[in-house]
Amino acid sequence: MTGKLTGEKLEKEMLRLEEMLTYERQYGWAADICGIDEAGRGPLAGPVVAGAVILPKDCKILYLNDSKKLSEKRREELFLEIQEKAVSFAVGIVEPKEIDRINILQATYAAMRQAVEKLSRTPQVLLNDAVEIPGLPAEMKQVKIIRGDAKSLSIAAASVLAKVTRDHLMMDYDLNYPQYGFAKHKGYGTAAHIQALKNEGPCPIHRKTFIGKFVKTEDRDEK
């Protein structure tokens, strides 16, 4: 994606991307470095999704940043470009019932492990957004980076992959459960979502351990 950046704006963007390769350069001895991030820890409904992305050495993708800083249109464009350019990429998905069973932190770790295990290549280094993932091989070096999706291009790519994948899933769920507005809020606890939850009761993709302060789940049947 070249966009319309020219002159000083292009130079500034290239410098920003160069800065976001600091960790990738630091661990440049590794043949494959994988960025890991998740989407969907906070919503009241839907799965948690983790992305894992191995980019080519010195790869620069214009506009790539923390997915939360990007417009939906930009995320969708980058989602395609990341898949085009990545050496390998994968997502892990843990559904609401499993989130309720093992808790959201363990579900996030499980989604991340899934994503890593699905990669077509085995990375030597994982750049993780703010976590260390238990249960992975000890020889796989893990680097925990706070706010990593804004500091590492690999993590930013994983962030976009996870976010867009989850958004697509929530839009699909909206077709089955249109009364909740999942296509708009993606399962997050907006006022409209909470009101719909109170009016309609929970549906099968609501996280029962997340909605207890809004509805008594034992008193309401799933729609």
Side-chain angles (χ1 to χ4, degrees), residues 36 50-52 89-93 110-119:
I36 308 281
F89 67 89
V91 293
I93 300 170
M112 289 175 167
R113 284 192 295 269
Q114 270 185 43
V116 172
E117 286 160 8
K118 286 182 186 174
L119 291 166

Side-chain angles (χ1 to χ4, degrees), residues 77-98:
E77 291 169 350
L78 288 167
F79 179 69
L80 298 176
E81 188 171 0
I82 289 161
Q83 292 176 80
E84 233 175 70
K85 293 186 173 175
V87 171
S88 182
F89 67 89
V91 293
I93 300 170
V94 174
E95 300 295 345
K97 281 186 179 176
E98 186 67 1

